[in-house]
Amino acid sequence: MTALNHPNPTYNPRDDHPSNDPGLDDPKPTSAFFLIPLADLHAEPRTPTDAAPVAPLAETPSPLPPLKGRAESLNADDPASQHAEMVGGMTIGRELAEIVVFVSLVLVLSGFFVDKYVIPTGSMNPGLMGRHKEVVCPECGHTYVVNASGEVEPSGAPALKDPEGRRVAVGTCVNCRCPALIENEISHKGDQIAAMKVGYQLPSWLGGRPPQRWETVVFHSPEESNIRFIKRLVGLPNETVRIWGGDLYRRSDDPLQRAELDPEADSQGFSILRKPLRHQEVMRVLVYDDRHRPQSLEGLEEWRRWRLDAGWSQRGPGAYHFNPEEFPRPHPDEFSELRYRHRVPSPAQWETILAGGVETVHAESTLVTDFDSFNSDIAVFEVDRIDRLERPWMIQHWVGDLILEFGFEPIDPNARLRIELVRGGRRYWCVLDMVSTTATLLREVDRGERGRGGRGFEIGPTAPAPLQLGQRSVVQLIHTDGRLALTIDGQPLFGEGWTQRPHSDLPTARDTEPAALAAQGGRLEITDLTLWRDLYYSREPTTIDNPRIDHDPPRDAQGMQSLLADANQFDRFEPGPPLDFPIGPDRYLMLGDNSLWSRDSRAWSPNKTIDGLVVPRREPWEVPASLIIGRAFVVHWPHTVPIWPNWRINRDLCLPSRPNFEKMRWIR
C-alpha cells in the first residue's frame, strides 16, 4: 500500500511511547516509524543531512503558497478553546477544584499507587497531546495543534542532527485548510499524566477489576520491556476485533456467547463496537466551526459553508435567525433549510487566494475526510519539496460519521427545528417540536423498506425535550457507530442512542452536503454552529484503505480534491477487505486514537521474548495482561501558559508563565 514520508525521517519505529518521568519536566518525545517517500516507493528514508542545505525560509525558493504571516501563540482565555477542552460540561470552578485536590493526591501517592508519565508523541491525539505547537490560524482565527515531536531526540533532548532542518515550519488549519508559517512558534512539551497502578491487580473484593474496553491504559511494550506505551484498549480476551471502513467490529470467540443470537450481527457474527457517548466526546475531531471563518473568503457566496434558504438570516459568525414570516411556504409541512456544504480550498487554491486571485478560484463541495491539522507538520528541510508539502492531503478517507453541535434558542411556542445528518446518501433526522416539547428521531429508508411512520422514513423513539422559550440550550445530534443519539446541555435524551445495523453504502453526492438545520412554524435562534467527525480507524498506519485509490492515486493535492468532489468517482472509496485480529485468553488489543500515525497493535512484531524474559506465546497484535501497568486517568500538568510581560527566553520558553488550569482534565 502507498506509504507517505513523515516530516522526520529519523523516526524510531519503537518509540511511540510515554516516558517514565520522575521529574515531570523531562519528556522524551519520539516519533512514529520509517515511512516511504511518495515520489519513490522503493527509496530509503532520507535524513535531513541527505537533503539539500536549507536556507532561511524567507530566502528559500519554494512551491509553498505565499503564507499569510506567522500565527500567534495560543490564547488560553479564548472561549472557543476553553469550550473544546472542558470535560463533561463541568463548570470551570468545579473542574479546577477537583483537579487541584487530585494533583495534591498524585504528589502524595506517586510511586506507591500512581505513576507519572509524559506523553511524547501524538498517537493519542486529540485526547492526549505529545510535543506540539498550538497555532492561531491567521486566516480564520481557529486555534489548532500541530505535531512537533520530530524536533527532538527520542530521549527528549534537543536534536543533535540538523536541529534547524527538523524544526516544524508549516502547519495547516483543520478548519479552513489555510497553511501557515509556524517555525518560530513555541514547541510545547507533551501532557503529563498520572496512571493508577493497582486497580487492575487488586482482587474484586478490594475494588479491583480487569481492564475495560475504551479505557486509556499504560503498558509495557510487547517488544521491549523498558518502553511504555499509552493507547486505548479496544479488544478483550476471547474475541476477534475487525477493522473495516473506519469502524471497529467484534465477534465473540466463546462458544457459549456465540450461541446467543445478536440481532445486529452480520452473517459472520460480527457486530459494530460503539464508543460510549462519554468517550465519543473526547474522540471527536473538528470539521468546521462557523464562528471562525477565513477572512479572505468572507462575503463570497460561492465559498459560504452554510447556505441559507428563505426565512433564515445571519446574525454573526456561527449565529443565525429564522423568521417564518420571511418564508412563503407552498406547502404547510415544508421546512426552510440551513444547509452545510463542505467547501475547503486546496493548497493550490489557497496560493491563488492569498495572491489576490480569489475571484478566479472555483468552489466545489467535497466529501468530509479524516484530515487533521495535527498530522500536517512540515519541517524546514521539506519546504522546498512539493511532495512533502502536499503529504497531509494525500492520505484521506471518507468519514460519514458526524456530530452537529449548536446553541438553540426557541422564541415562539410553535417553532419546530429539524436536524439532519447524512451518511452514505441516507438521511437521519431529529425533530425538536416546541408545541409538544418533544424530540423525535427518524431515519430515511430504502425503497424496498417499509417505514413505520410513513412513506420514505421510519419514526424512532420520542422523548420529552428540556427546552424553554427564550432560553439557550446546547444541542448535539450524534450519528456514529451505527447509532443516532441526541444530547441537550450534555444530557442524553435516548440513552446511548437509537441503534441499528450500520448503513454501509458508498458516499453519494448528498455526502458532500452532509448536515442541515431546517425550521418552520416560529422564530428561533441558532448560535455556535459546529460540525465534528468521528475517528477513522485505518487498517494499517500511514496507509490508505481504499484499494482503487491506492493502486491509482491522484498525482497531487489538487487531484485528490477533484476526486473528493466528483460523485462519479465515489465508488473508488469502497473500503478494502476487513482486517481481523483474534485475541486469545488473558490478552488485549490496543489502538491509538490518531490511527494514521500510531504504532500500536497493528504494527508490532511477533517477538516471544522481551530482553531475555520469556513472554507467553502471543500473536503480534496481542498485549498480555501481565504487561499492563494501569489506567491513565488524569492530565495533571499540561504545558504552561505565558503571561505578561511574556519574555521569550529561547525558542521554546517564555517567562513568566502560569499553570494551564483550563486543560487539566480527567482522561476518558
Side-chain angles (χ1 to χ4, degrees), residues 351-402:
E351 181 177 5
T352 302
I353 292 168
L354 297 178
V358 65
E359 294 83 2
T360 66
V361 177
H362 175 60
E364 291 184 295
S365 298
T366 62
L367 296 175
V368 174
T369 71
D370 57 348
F371 182 94
D372 191 349
S373 60
F374 190 89
N375 301 327
S376 70
D377 48 313
I378 304 297
V380 169
F381 77 90
E382 298 176 299
V383 297
D384 62 342
R385 289 188 52 177
I386 189 67
D387 62 317
R388 300 289 182 90
L389 286 170
E390 294 192 341
R391 172 187 52 78
W393 289 77
M394 297 309 294
I395 295 186
Q396 296 190 70
H397 301 95
W398 166 58
V399 180
D401 286 3
L402 302 175

Side-chain angles (χ1 to χ4, degrees), residues 48-60:
T49 54
D50 294 327
V54 178
L57 280 175
E59 304 172 8
T60 304

Side-chain angles (χ1 to χ4, degrees), residues 182-259:
I182 62 174
E183 181 186 358
N184 287 341
E185 296 303 309
I186 293 176
S187 292
H188 299 288
K189 296 180 180 181
D191 288 335
Q192 298 183 17
I193 68 162
M196 186 69 70
K197 295 193 298 182
V198 298
Y200 298 150
Q201 286 77 34
L202 289 176
S204 58
W205 58 274
L206 285 178
R209 60 169 177 77
Q212 303 295 307
R213 198 188 317 272
W214 306 117
E215 289 183 337
T216 301
V217 299
V218 177
F219 55 98
H220 293 285
S221 165
E223 299 174 314
E224 298 178 63
S225 61
N226 64 327
I227 291 178
R228 295 168 178 81
F229 285 106
I230 181 166
K231 306 291 177 188
R232 194 174 296 278
L233 191 155
V234 301
L236 299 175
N238 302 312
E239 68 180 14
T240 296
V241 171
R242 167 172 288 182
I243 300 178
W244 185 71
D247 289 321
L248 301 179
Y249 299 79
R250 58 89 62 181
R251 179 185 66 195
S252 174
D253 293 332
D254 185 330
L256 295 179
Q257 293 186 22
R258 288 282 292 276

Side-chain angles (χ1 to χ4, degrees), residues 122-408:
S123 68
M124 286 298 290
N125 173 66
L128 297 174
M129 292 289 107
R131 191 174 186 88
H132 64 281
K133 296 188 175 189
E134 289 183 327
V135 183
V136 177
C137 178
E139 261 297 315
C140 70
H142 170 67
T143 299
Y144 62 95
V145 181
V146 179
N147 173 44
S149 61
E151 295 185 348
V152 295
E153 299 297 330
S155 65
L160 300 176
K161 195 173 186 180
D162 191 18
E164 292 303 314
R166 289 170 60 172
R167 188 83 180 170
V168 175
V170 178
T172 299
C173 176
V174 68
N175 193 57
C176 70
R177 302 292 177 88
C178 181
L181 292 169
I182 62 174
E183 181 186 358
N184 287 341
E185 296 303 309
I186 293 176
S187 292
H188 299 288
K189 296 180 180 181
D191 288 335
Q192 298 183 17
I193 68 162
M196 186 69 70
K197 295 193 298 182
V198 298
Y200 298 150
Q201 286 77 34
L202 289 176
S204 58
W205 58 274
L206 285 178
R209 60 169 177 77
Q212 303 295 307
R213 198 188 317 272
W214 306 117
E215 289 183 337
T216 301
V217 299
V218 177
F219 55 98
H220 293 285
S221 165
E223 299 174 314
E224 298 178 63
S225 61
N226 64 327
I227 291 178
R228 295 168 178 81
F229 285 106
I230 181 166
K231 306 291 177 188
R232 194 174 296 278
L233 191 155
V234 301
L236 299 175
N238 302 312
E239 68 180 14
T240 296
V241 171
R242 167 172 288 182
I243 300 178
W244 185 71
D247 289 321
L248 301 179
Y249 299 79
R250 58 89 62 181
R251 179 185 66 195
S252 174
D253 293 332
D254 185 330
L256 295 179
Q257 293 186 22
R258 288 282 292 276
E260 299 177 6
L261 182 62
D262 184 349
E264 294 188 11
D266 62 17
S267 59
Q268 298 181 42
F270 284 94
S271 55
I272 195 166
L273 284 173
R274 296 187 173 95
K275 295 177 284 294
L277 293 180
R278 63 184 299 270
H279 290 287
Q280 183 72 75
E281 181 78 12
V282 298
M283 298 168 73
R284 63 184 188 177
V285 180
L286 181 70
V287 174
Y288 178 64
D289 186 341
D290 195 48
R291 295 169 295 184
H292 297 282
R293 300 172 181 170
Q295 57 189 11
S296 295
L297 303 178
E298 189 65 29
L300 299 176
E301 181 62 31
E302 185 179 10
W303 286 102
R304 182 192 294 273
R305 298 279 192 104
W306 287 93
R307 184 191 67 228
L308 286 70
D309 283 350
W312 287 97
S313 60
Q314 183 174 282
R315 293 298 176 90
Y320 299 89
H321 175 81
F322 175 72
N323 185 350
E325 296 180 0
E326 301 174 4
F327 175 46
R329 289 183 296 166
H331 189 278
D333 293 331
E334 187 172 348
F335 285 80
S336 178
E337 277 194 345
L338 180 63
R339 169 71 60 176
Y340 176 76
R341 306 178 296 182
H342 192 59
R343 298 190 166 186
V344 293
S346 69
Q349 289 176 319
W350 266 118
E351 181 177 5
T352 302
I353 292 168
L354 297 178
V358 65
E359 294 83 2
T360 66
V361 177
H362 175 60
E364 291 184 295
S365 298
T366 62
L367 296 175
V368 174
T369 71
D370 57 348
F371 182 94
D372 191 349
S373 60
F374 190 89
N375 301 327
S376 70
D377 48 313
I378 304 297
V380 169
F381 77 90
E382 298 176 299
V383 297
D384 62 342
R385 289 188 52 177
I386 189 67
D387 62 317
R388 300 289 182 90
L389 286 170
E390 294 192 341
R391 172 187 52 78
W393 289 77
M394 297 309 294
I395 295 186
Q396 296 190 70
H397 301 95
W398 166 58
V399 180
D401 286 3
L402 302 175
I403 302 167
L404 186 59
E405 180 179 31
F406 56 92
F408 173 50

Side-chain angles (χ1 to χ4, degrees), residues 37-157:
L38 178 64
D40 184 359
L41 296 180
H42 302 288
E44 292 295 324
R46 293 199 313 165
T47 64
T49 54
D50 294 327
V54 178
L57 280 175
E59 304 172 8
T60 304
S62 169
L64 187 68
L67 302 180
K68 188 155 182 164
R70 300 183 184 273
E72 303 295 332
S73 298
L74 173 69
N75 177 4
D77 297 322
D78 178 8
S81 176
Q82 293 182 12
H83 173 74
E85 295 295 339
M86 297 308 292
V87 177
M90 296 179 179
T91 64
I92 293 178
R94 178 182 173 187
E95 179 84 356
L96 293 183
E98 289 183 348
I99 293 295
V100 168
V101 171
F102 191 78
V103 167
S104 301
L105 290 175
V106 167
L107 295 175
V108 172
L109 300 177
S110 180
F112 295 96
F113 305 106
V114 174
D115 267 349
K116 296 176 292 182
Y117 301 93
V118 173
I119 306 296
T121 68
S123 68
M124 286 298 290
N125 173 66
L128 297 174
M129 292 289 107
R131 191 174 186 88
H132 64 281
K133 296 188 175 189
E134 289 183 327
V135 183
V136 177
C137 178
E139 261 297 315
C140 70
H142 170 67
T143 299
Y144 62 95
V145 181
V146 179
N147 173 44
S149 61
E151 295 185 348
V152 295
E153 299 297 330
S155 65

Side-chain angles (χ1 to χ4, degrees), residues 414-655:
N414 55 341
R416 297 181 75 201
L417 181 69
R418 186 183 68 198
I419 317 165
E420 176 184 315
L421 292 172
V422 176
R423 188 187 191 282
R426 175 176 287 183
R427 294 177 291 187
Y428 299 82
W429 297 291
C430 175
V431 175
L432 300 178
D433 191 342
M434 292 307 299
V435 175
S436 57
T437 323
T438 58
T440 302
L441 301 180
L442 307 94
R443 72 176 183 101
E444 191 173 29
V445 298
D446 295 331
R447 287 185 176 181
E449 295 183 77
R450 305 180 71 180
R452 288 187 293 117
R455 186 180 61 188
F457 62 89
E458 177 185 1
I459 296 180
T462 297
L467 300 169
Q468 296 184 19
L469 295 179
Q471 180 174 309
R472 179 184 180 276
S473 299
V474 178
V475 177
Q476 284 190 95
L477 183 63
I478 303 164
H479 184 223
T480 59
D481 302 333
R483 55 100 188 276
L484 191 63
L486 180 76
T487 69
I488 297 180
D489 292 329
Q491 300 302 313
L493 267 65
F494 302 98
E496 288 295 316
W498 181 30
T499 63
Q500 55 230 259
R501 182 175 294 182
H503 187 53
S504 59
D505 281 355
L506 293 171
T508 70
R510 277 185 179 177
D511 291 273
T512 65
E513 300 182 353
L517 297 174
Q520 68 167 209
R523 294 172 299 159
L524 55 86
E525 299 275 357
I526 300 294
T527 55
D528 302 334
L529 192 51
T530 309
L531 184 66
W532 305 83
R533 66 167 176 85
D534 194 9
L535 300 180
Y536 184 98
Y537 289 101
S538 60
R539 297 173 74 252
E540 300 176 31
T542 75
T543 61
I544 194 162
D545 281 359
N546 313 112
R548 294 182 61 188
I549 298 176
D550 181 53
H551 296 153
D552 183 21
R555 297 183 60 182
D556 52 26
Q558 188 60 49
M560 176 61 79
Q561 189 79 341
S562 298
L563 173 61
L564 292 168
D566 186 358
N568 293 324
Q569 298 191 67
F570 286 173
D571 57 350
R572 296 182 64 186
F573 287 93
E574 182 177 5
L579 189 62
D580 293 342
F581 298 91
I583 308 169
D586 213 27
R587 303 286 191 270
Y588 297 90
L589 186 77
M590 310 290 187
L591 296 180
D593 289 351
N594 188 6
S595 187
L596 273 177
W597 300 100
S598 173
R599 182 171 177 81
D600 48 37
S601 282
R602 300 167 298 166
W604 291 328
S605 63
N607 294 350
K608 301 300 186 297
T609 63
I610 299 180
D611 295 346
L613 175 66
V614 177
V615 175
R617 181 176 178 83
R618 67 173 184 87
E619 297 294 342
W621 53 83
E622 293 178 324
V623 176
S626 59
L627 298 183
I628 296 178
I629 297 171
R631 178 173 62 91
F633 62 103
V634 69
V635 176
H636 64 88
W637 195 259
H639 69 80
T640 57
V641 178
I643 58 177
W644 185 88
N646 195 11
W647 291 312
R648 192 75 173 258
I649 306 303
N650 58 41
R651 268 188 166 178
D652 296 330
L653 179 62
C654 284
L655 292 177

